[in-house]
Amino acid sequence: MFHAVLAGFIDGALAGIGTTTDEPQPASEPAWRMRRLYVHRGLRRRGVARAIAAALLEDAANNVRMVTVHAGNDSAARFWEAIGFQQATR
Protein backbone atom coordinates (compact mmCIF):
# COMPACT_ATOMS: atom_id res chain seq x y z
CA MET A 1 0.00 0.00 0.00
CA PHE A 2 1.28 3.45 -0.86
CA HIS A 3 1.04 6.21 1.73
CA ALA A 4 1.85 8.85 -0.88
CA VAL A 5 2.54 8.96 -4.59
CA LEU A 6 3.94 12.30 -5.75
CA ALA A 7 4.99 13.67 -9.10
CA GLY A 8 7.17 16.59 -10.11
CA PHE A 9 6.66 18.56 -13.31
CA ILE A 10 8.80 20.95 -15.32
CA ASP A 11 7.00 23.17 -17.82
CA GLY A 12 3.95 20.91 -17.62
CA ALA A 13 5.91 17.73 -18.40
CA LEU A 14 6.21 14.88 -15.94
CA ALA A 15 9.78 15.06 -14.63
CA GLY A 16 9.81 12.59 -11.75
CA ILE A 17 7.89 10.47 -9.27
CA GLY A 18 8.33 9.17 -5.74
CA THR A 19 6.36 7.13 -3.23
CA THR A 20 6.28 6.03 0.39
CA THR A 21 5.19 2.63 1.71
CA ASP A 22 5.49 0.76 4.98
CA GLU A 23 9.07 -0.24 5.79
CA PRO A 24 9.21 -3.95 4.82
CA GLN A 25 11.97 -4.86 7.28
CA PRO A 26 11.31 -5.30 11.01
CA ALA A 27 11.90 -2.02 12.85
CA SER A 28 11.86 -0.93 16.47
CA GLU A 29 9.00 1.46 15.70
CA PRO A 30 6.60 2.09 12.82
CA ALA A 31 8.53 3.31 9.79
CA TRP A 32 7.94 4.20 6.17
CA ARG A 33 10.27 3.65 3.23
CA MET A 34 10.74 6.12 0.41
CA ARG A 35 10.84 4.25 -2.86
CA ARG A 36 10.51 4.55 -6.58
CA LEU A 37 12.13 7.98 -6.61
CA TYR A 38 12.88 8.46 -10.27
CA VAL A 39 13.62 11.56 -12.34
CA HIS A 40 13.72 11.47 -16.13
CA ARG A 41 17.36 11.38 -17.21
CA GLY A 42 17.03 14.52 -19.33
CA LEU A 43 15.54 16.50 -16.43
CA ARG A 44 17.96 15.60 -13.66
CA ARG A 45 20.10 18.10 -11.68
CA ARG A 46 17.23 20.60 -11.59
CA GLY A 47 16.01 19.97 -8.03
CA VAL A 48 13.15 17.64 -8.92
CA ALA A 49 14.33 14.71 -6.78
CA ARG A 50 15.02 16.98 -3.81
CA ALA A 51 11.58 18.58 -4.09
CA ILE A 52 9.79 15.23 -4.29
CA ALA A 53 11.86 13.79 -1.42
CA ALA A 54 11.19 16.89 0.73
CA ALA A 55 7.44 16.64 0.13
CA LEU A 56 7.44 12.91 0.93
CA LEU A 57 9.42 13.54 4.12
CA GLU A 58 7.03 16.31 5.16
CA ASP A 59 4.08 13.96 4.70
CA ALA A 60 5.85 11.18 6.59
CA ALA A 61 6.74 13.49 9.49
CA ASN A 62 3.04 13.81 10.27
CA ASN A 63 2.71 10.04 10.56
CA VAL A 64 5.96 8.30 11.60
CA ARG A 65 9.28 9.16 13.22
CA MET A 66 11.44 6.97 10.98
CA VAL A 67 11.79 6.99 7.20
CA THR A 68 14.20 4.69 5.39
CA VAL A 69 15.55 4.40 1.86
CA HIS A 70 17.42 1.71 -0.02
CA ALA A 71 20.22 3.20 -2.07
CA GLY A 72 20.78 0.76 -4.90
CA ASN A 73 24.07 2.30 -6.04
CA ASP A 74 26.78 4.77 -5.02
CA SER A 75 25.16 7.67 -6.85
CA ALA A 76 21.87 7.09 -5.04
CA ALA A 77 23.69 6.77 -1.72
CA ARG A 78 25.37 10.15 -2.27
CA PHE A 79 22.00 11.73 -3.05
CA TRP A 80 20.34 10.34 0.09
CA GLU A 81 23.30 11.31 2.28
CA ALA A 82 23.27 14.84 0.80
CA ILE A 83 19.69 15.33 1.98
CA GLY A 84 20.40 14.04 5.48
CA PHE A 85 20.05 10.26 5.49
CA GLN A 86 22.71 8.19 7.23
CA GLN A 87 23.85 4.72 6.35
CA ALA A 88 22.50 2.17 8.83
CA THR A 89 24.92 -0.12 10.58
CA ARG A 90 24.02 -3.72 11.07
Side-chain angles (χ1 to χ4, degrees):
M1 175 180 107
F2 293 108
H3 296 290
V5 177
L6 301 180
F9 294 84
I10 294 178
D11 297 328
L14 179 63
I17 60 170
T19 69
T20 51
T21 64
D22 287 330
E23 168 56 47
Q25 300 298 315
S28 59
E29 60 186 278
W32 287 2
R33 180 178 284 190
M34 260 201 277
R35 26 173 102 237
R36 309 292 185 254
L37 184 62
Y38 175 79
V39 175
H40 185 280
R41 187 174 305 276
L43 299 173
R44 292 180 183 165
R45 316 271 308 139
R46 296 172 72 176
V48 175
R50 284 180 182 267
I52 293 170
L56 289 169
L57 286 170
E58 183 176 333
D59 179 59
N62 295 318
N63 295 284
V64 294
R65 291 178 20 165
M66 185 187 320
V67 176
T68 66
V69 297
H70 174 73
N73 57 55
D74 290 341
S75 178
R78 286 190 299 275
F79 169 78
W80 293 118
E81 289 171 2
I83 65 169
F85 281 85
Q86 299 175 357
Q87 186 173 16
T89 57
R90 291 185 182 227

